[in-house]
Amino acid sequence: MTHKTKGIVLRAVKYGETSLVVSIYTELFGLQTYMVNGARTAKRTGNKAAMFQPSAILDLEVYHNEQRSMQRIKECDWAFLYQHILSDVIKNSIALYMVELLQKTLKQPESNSELFYFCEDALMQLDIADKTIAANFALFFTLHLADFFGFRINSDHKIDGDLYLDLKEGEFVTEQPVHPNFIHGQHAVATAELLKTRHPSELDQLKLNKQIRRELLLKYQDYFALHIHDFGKMKTLPVLHELLA
């Protein structure tokens, strides 16, 4: 039996002479692995390998069997054609960061349509974002992604420079935590403003310099590592730091 679903490509690995093993976050089935035979051949259907670039949003018709760890794709096509992400170096680096963050947080093949739509919309908004919005995009995506995994930061406090953001507890507090996993001062205020930002179009209102962005992304990486087992380090983060500098 086949099913039609959208999917966001997370990773593609060459297999054999012409095939790919592709990790895709799907609308219907969550994280899935697909064998794509003949994807790297230039036959009458064309070379489909280009479709399976990380961050690509695809329309898929797939065979799905819950008893199998690897599924197959019957048909695929672009669901959304990027204008900039695949060709703009900075936007591509941000998209690859977003994709890696998804790979590190998605542990089970569980369907979550709200998470899928959030990720799909975020990538589409990044594609059309101007430079000011794009500069803050990774911060926005990282903070709001946490909402879907059960460790959303509680931002009910009135925020000022005297508050601390306790990264272990995920909440703002008035006294410095006894552990080193916290954010204080300007960084805490910026985080609170990012949490209140509900749509990427509002990101141009945040006036952050490159040093603050760099330090916040490192702290947010620590935040995810505190709440997700075996999170490790983001490989795309050093590249993103260099490009956004």
Side-chain angles (χ1 to χ4, degrees), residues 108-199:
Q108 300 294 331
E110 298 174 353
S111 174
N112 185 334
S113 58
E114 289 189 6
L115 173 57
F116 178 85
Y117 298 142
F118 167 74
C119 295
E120 178 188 36
D121 183 66
L123 287 165
M124 293 166 66
Q125 292 298 324
L126 174 61
D127 191 54
I128 62 173
D130 63 26
K131 290 183 178 180
T132 306
I133 291 174
N136 294 323
F137 211 97
L139 295 169
F140 170 87
F141 182 80
T142 306
L143 281 182
H144 289 285
L145 185 66
D147 292 5
F148 297 93
F149 294 94
F151 52 96
R152 179 182 183 274
I153 295 173
N154 185 343
S155 57
D156 292 339
H157 273 289
K158 181 180 179 181
I159 305 302
D160 58 48
D162 293 329
L163 282 180
Y164 297 83
L165 172 55
D166 186 326
L167 296 176
K168 276 190 174 181
E169 300 299 326
E171 62 181 6
F172 290 91
V173 295
T174 55
E175 295 183 2
Q176 180 175 323
V178 296
H179 54 78
N181 299 301
F182 65 86
I183 298 174
H184 181 238
Q186 189 177 7
H187 295 70
V189 172
T191 300
E193 291 175 346
L194 282 160
L195 288 167
K196 292 176 181 178
T197 302
R198 305 313 303 174
H199 193 270

Side-chain angles (χ1 to χ4, degrees), residues 18 27 40 48 90 106-107 142 148 162 174 198 225 242:
T18 62
E27 177 185 5
R40 293 153 51 214
K48 288 190 175 181
I90 292 177
L106 294 168
K107 301 296 186 179
T142 306
F148 297 93
D162 293 329
T174 55
R198 305 313 303 174
E242 288 296 323

Side-chain angles (χ1 to χ4, degrees), residues 5 9 24 97 102 120 132 155 206 231:
T5 182
V9 178
I24 300 179
Y97 167 87
L102 274 175
E120 178 188 36
T132 306
S155 57
L206 299 176
F231 183 83

Side-chain angles (χ1 to χ4, degrees), residues 71-134:
Q71 313 293 339
R72 290 187 178 272
I73 296 174
K74 181 180 180 182
E75 299 288 343
C76 65
D77 201 352
W78 298 102
F80 181 79
L81 283 171
Y82 293 125
Q83 299 299 309
H84 305 287
I85 282 180
L86 299 181
S87 56
D88 183 289
V89 174
I90 292 177
K91 287 188 176 183
N92 186 249
S93 69
I94 297 170
L96 291 179
Y97 167 87
M98 293 162 64
V99 163
E100 185 186 7
L101 190 56
L102 274 175
Q103 287 180 283
K104 285 182 169 292
T105 50
L106 294 168
K107 301 296 186 179
Q108 300 294 331
E110 298 174 353
S111 174
N112 185 334
S113 58
E114 289 189 6
L115 173 57
F116 178 85
Y117 298 142
F118 167 74
C119 295
E120 178 188 36
D121 183 66
L123 287 165
M124 293 166 66
Q125 292 298 324
L126 174 61
D127 191 54
I128 62 173
D130 63 26
K131 290 183 178 180
T132 306
I133 291 174

